[in-house]
Amino acid sequence: MRSIAIWGLALGLFGCSGEGPGGATCADQTLEVCQVFTIVNQERTAEGLPAYGWSPELALSAQLHAEDMHANDYFSHESQDGRSFVDRTNAAGYMGAPRGENIARGQRSPEQVMESWMGSDGHRRNILAEGSNEIGVGFIDFHWVQVFGRGAEPMD
């Protein structure tokens, strides 16, 4: 649990940040996760969809899964202990509804991984889903993870 808290702090301070759905910004465009976040939102707005907000909890779930796959040399939506992305997202403290996950391995840049995902029907559907309004991205040593969710709607 301590490592989750530490990662949460790190991703919140040094990762992407946002004002919520549609008003998200990224704090550091040198980070691969922020570059992926930006490209995802460019793809969404090109399709007339609202931009995703950044979720530190979804990012934590994505980052820990990328690290687990890398450290344990596997590639799967299911963790080796049997957990799904929903289980991992709930464990990271996400209070919304987990909606989907994209994983990739081997692509050398944010542009390459996004090209791969957008060229795959299932991955593209996750990126352009109208039922999601938040995203988190994880990355380590060319292991990429996106986790999508439906957070609470902002009050007018």
Side-chain angles (χ1 to χ4, degrees):
M1 188 56 85
R2 180 181 168 147
S3 65
I4 288 177
I6 291 170
W7 265 113
L9 178 62
L11 288 169
L13 294 176
F14 303 111
C16 303
S17 62
E19 301 166 2
T25 60
C26 205
D28 186 351
Q29 280 296 308
T30 65
L31 297 174
E32 289 86 351
V33 296
C34 290
Q35 293 171 32
V36 168
F37 176 67
T38 298
I39 298 168
V40 164
N41 280 333
Q42 289 169 349
E43 294 287 352
R44 287 182 62 79
T45 57
E47 295 293 325
L49 297 167
Y52 280 136
W54 180 260
S55 166
E57 296 84 8
L58 292 177
L60 176 60
S61 176
Q63 185 64 39
L64 292 175
H65 188 50
E67 290 179 7
D68 185 48
M69 288 191 296
H70 176 258
N72 294 297
D73 195 28
Y74 74 98
F75 183 70
S76 176
H77 289 285
E78 185 174 302
S79 297
Q80 289 183 322
D81 61 6
R83 292 178 303 139
S84 70
F85 81 93
V86 173
D87 299 324
R88 293 187 299 270
T89 300
N90 290 337
Y94 187 61
M95 299 304 292
R99 305 277 301 175
E101 177 183 73
N102 288 345
I103 61 174
R105 177 173 61 183
Q107 292 84 353
R108 297 291 188 209
S109 70
E111 294 80 10
Q112 284 181 353
V113 75
M114 283 301 300
E115 184 177 330
S116 294
W117 280 330
M118 292 304 288
S120 162
D121 288 341
H123 296 107
R124 181 182 176 88
R125 270 193 303 277
N126 280 341
I127 292 166
L128 300 177
E130 293 184 35
S132 299
N133 64 359
E134 296 181 317
I135 188 174
V137 182
F139 169 77
I140 185 171
D141 197 23
F142 310 115
H143 290 71
W144 308 84
V145 180
Q146 295 175 318
V147 181
F148 305 90
R150 181 81 183 168
E153 294 292 328
M155 300 298 289
D156 290 331

